[in-house]
Every structure is written in C-alpha cells, then in structure tokens.
Amino acid sequence: MQTYKVAIVGTGGIAAVHASNLARTDNRAELVAACDVDDARLQAFANNHGIAGRYQSLTELLAEAKPDIVHLCTPPMMHIDQAIECLEAGAHVLSEKPPALSLADFDRLNEAAARGGAQFSCVFQHRFGDASAAARSLIGGSDFGRPLVARCDTLWYRPDEYFDLPWRGTWKAEGGGPTMGHGIHQFDLLLHLLGPWEEVSAIASRQARATSTEDFSAALVRFDNGAAATVINSLLSPRETSDIRVDCEFATIELSHLYGYSTKDWTITAAPGHEEAVSGAWTGQPLERGSGHSAQFLAMYDALDAGLPLPAGADSARQTLEFAAAIYASAFTGRAVRRGEIVPGHAFYEGMDGDGRGTRVLASTARF
C-alpha cells in the first residue's frame, strides 16, 4: 500500500477536520504542505498539525511540494479554479462541497483532468460508512424489495450572525443557500442509495435570514426505479437533525443523525412476515465503520492503489450538483425539471440563480 503526499489548501475550520482525519488513516497519508493567504492562520494551523511545507500561493505549493493529492478546504467560489490548477499540475483533487457553483463551471474539469492525468473527487463522506454500503446493496434486492417511498431532511439552524462572513448567503460566492451548502451531503447519500433521479418539482424561499439566497427549499422527486421522495433543506430548524428514510416493499431503512453517523444511528424495520429475512440480511453485512472523512480518504487511497476511478468522482459529483440545479430551476420557474434538461444554453446551467431569476423571485416573496 502506497503512502500518499497530501496538501491542504485553506486552513479554516474544515481544514482541521481534514488534518485530524488524515492522522487516522494508518500512515496511508503524509501531510506535507498547507496553503493559506492569511499567514498567521497558516502558521498556527501548520504548527498545530506538524506541517513543514507552508505556502501562501497554490502555484508555489504545487511546484515545490509536489503533492499526490490536494484537499481543497477553501470557500466555495474558489474550488473550481483551484481544482483545475491542481489537475493540470498532475495532482489529484479532493474538494469540499460544493464542487463548483454551476454545472458550466464544473464541466471545465474534464479538459483539466485529461491534460494533467489526474482525477477529481468531492467530499461526500456519508457514502462511506458501512451501514450506507449495506443499505445500498440491500435496497432493491430480494430481502428488502424495491424502494417505494423516501424522505430526506436536512433540518439545521444557522442564526443571523452565521452570515456575517461576506461570502456566506450569496449566489456569487456560495452558489446558493442550504440546498447547495448544507443539504447537499444528505441528498447526495439519498441519490447514492436510490440511484438516478428522473424528475424534480420544488419550491424555495427566503423565510427569515437576510441573505441573497434561499434559507429553505423542498422538493418532490421521482426516481428512475419508480420510487418517490421528498427532500427538505432548511437553516431555520432549532432542533437540528439529518434524516433519511426509505420504505421498501419488505423493510424500512431509517438514518437519523446530525453531521455524521455510526451504525447505531440506523434503524431497520421489517414488514410483517419478513422479520427473519430482513434481520438476517442486515446483520449479515459488515457494520463497524461509521461515516466520516477518514473513511472516504481510505477508499480514495485504495482506488489509487488499484488504478481505479476515485469514489465520489467527477461523474457522480456532477449528478449531485445537477440535482441541486434542478431544485433551483424548478423552484424559480414553477415547473418540473427532468434529469439531463439543464444543458448549455439553459438559464440554470451557468448559475444556480438562473441568470438572476432566483434573486428576483426571492426578493418578491421575502417576508422579513
């Protein structure tokens, strides 16, 4: 097993999560460099995590430290250009969400990856717990049956002062509200469990926060396999919870947690007459590892060792980003949006607010 040289770009709060999780990868990673435009913050971070390479320029970091993998922990509006620079330099990229602020920006990755021979992956750590892998393998199988009805709720709370940072709550810098920046983790897991979606009908509004973006959205989703789901993304919910429920023919699968789960956060309920088969199918799965960044890091290293595509790679990350774009497009046009509809020339291909349409709709409906 190879040990990979890793660099972290951006040394704010989420970077500490990356650094601490890298330390739990059984020496599969060596954290060789960090980068931040704020030198004081960079030095404090590097001192705390014992990082020798310290840079205020990504270009210099790539040239001198020559990392195998770069973790992008910068604000959302910086992700895509930094990812392109890393890919062109031949460094694999693991980017925090959202991977880009629009489908148009995201599609710029393809040529950069081809030029540099590197791969892109997005941090969607909820996919990588043992229980999510078990649920994915059982949904649609003979023991659990096909999925019928589902719900996916990201009910979080962010007070007004959370938006004091100038880039938060703006289309230009964050790309959207809770649909892009918060609920994306949970509905990425829903898509991972249920497969391709077919059509989305949604609403979005600015209920209480003085932002440019929405602070709430809700969607009704039809999947290719016939399942129907509701998806709610909120920053207005004092009792915070992240929930997924999937009702299959013979079993209900429920996950209730907040920012990460262990196996104990999953509940399996069998339909009458199916108790033995459902219980045996679930307990027969490996159910030790919870979700988290380190689980995704290890899966990434295993893929690189084997010469395989990275998990949560560009193709699947794009599908999740397209789902977010569809929620916005439906909410701001008042009609259903089908998968594959948002292409070059579509108003919501270039930006999640649809060339200003979302901003105008939210401005006319805000009640605060």
Side-chain angles (χ1 to χ4, degrees):
M1 294 186 294
Q2 182 175 340
T3 297
Y4 293 93
K5 294 193 299 181
V6 175
I8 292 178
V9 179
T11 60
I14 195 62
V17 175
H18 282 245
S20 62
N21 277 268
L22 285 166
R24 294 198 290 270
T25 58
D26 299 324
N27 298 315
R28 298 295 307 282
E30 179 187 3
L31 185 49
V32 298
C35 179
D36 201 301
V37 294
D38 185 325
D39 186 59
R41 185 168 59 192
L42 169 65
Q43 298 301 330
F45 178 82
N47 289 339
N48 191 40
H49 296 284
I51 304 169
R54 307 176 185 196
Y55 301 89
Q56 290 184 270
S57 162
L58 174 58
T59 302
E60 291 180 5
L61 182 153
L62 292 169
E64 296 179 14
K66 293 182 168 47
D68 299 308
I69 305 167
V70 175
H71 291 217
L72 296 181
C73 300
T74 46
M77 69 285 193
M78 304 178 74
H79 290 169
I80 194 66
D81 288 335
Q82 291 177 334
I84 287 171
E85 184 174 357
C86 293
L87 291 171
E88 289 180 335
H92 302 296
V93 172
L94 181 62
S95 173
E96 272 295 337
K97 51 75 185 168
L101 302 191
S102 71
L103 290 170
D105 264 352
F106 188 86
D107 287 345
R108 296 165 53 205
L109 288 175
N110 293 331
E111 290 186 5
R115 284 193 296 269
Q119 297 186 63
F120 176 92
S121 181
C122 188
V123 176
F124 286 131
Q125 72 271 23
H126 293 338
R127 297 187 192 185
F128 294 91
D130 284 348
S132 68
R136 190 181 191 216
S137 70
L138 293 169
I139 290 172
S142 60
D143 291 316
F144 278 37
R146 63 188 178 92
L148 305 173
V149 179
R151 67 176 176 87
C152 175
D153 298 336
T154 300
L155 304 175
W156 292 1
Y157 186 81
R158 297 294 184 268
D160 289 336
E161 54 267 27
Y162 173 80
F163 298 97
D164 287 346
L165 287 175
W167 56 267
R168 282 184 174 157
T170 66
W171 296 106
K172 184 177 180 180
E174 205 166 14
T179 311
M180 274 285 275
H182 304 81
I184 193 169
H185 277 306
Q186 201 71 356
F187 64 67
D188 173 77
L189 178 55
L190 181 74
L191 300 180
H192 185 64
L193 295 176
L194 293 185
W197 59 275
E198 181 180 288
E199 186 176 80
V200 171
S201 297
I203 60 173
S205 60
R206 194 165 67 227
Q207 298 283 81
R209 300 292 176 260
T211 62
S212 301
T213 66
E214 90 287 1
D215 55 22
F216 162 83
S217 70
L220 179 62
V221 189
R222 177 73 69 182
F223 286 82
D224 282 359
N225 58 22
T230 59
V231 177
I232 295 178
N233 307 294
S234 168
L235 296 181
L236 310 172
S237 307
R239 188 179 74 81
E240 295 187 296
T241 184
S242 304
D243 298 297
I244 285 181
R245 172 175 172 152
V246 180
D247 294 319
C248 300
E249 291 177 285
F250 312 126
T252 293
I253 304 167
E254 295 176 273
L255 167 63
S256 185
H257 67 116
L258 187 51
Y259 301 130
Y261 63 79
S262 64
T263 300
K264 67 179 178 59
D265 296 315
W266 294 73
T267 302
I268 307 299
T269 304
H274 294 270
E275 292 86 355
E276 185 175 346
V278 166
S279 176
W282 182 253
T283 57
Q285 301 287 324
L287 296 170
E288 297 180 6
R289 185 173 61 180
S291 69
H293 286 68
S294 62
Q296 181 166 357
F297 299 168
L298 289 168
M300 183 177 190
Y301 306 149
D302 288 345
L304 290 172
D305 285 350
L308 297 173
L310 296 185
D315 288 346
S316 66
R318 192 189 189 283
Q319 292 171 27
T320 299
L321 190 66
E322 182 188 13
F323 184 78
I327 290 177
Y328 286 120
S330 176
F332 298 142
T333 63
R335 62 176 185 81
V337 174
R338 297 184 67 83
R339 182 166 54 91
E341 179 180 329
I342 303 175
V343 296
H346 192 287
F348 288 82
Y349 180 74
E350 298 289 341
M352 297 293 169
D353 67 340
D355 196 24
R357 186 178 307 192
T359 300
R360 293 191 294 273
V361 169
L362 292 174
S364 67
T365 59
R367 292 180 173 85
F368 56 84

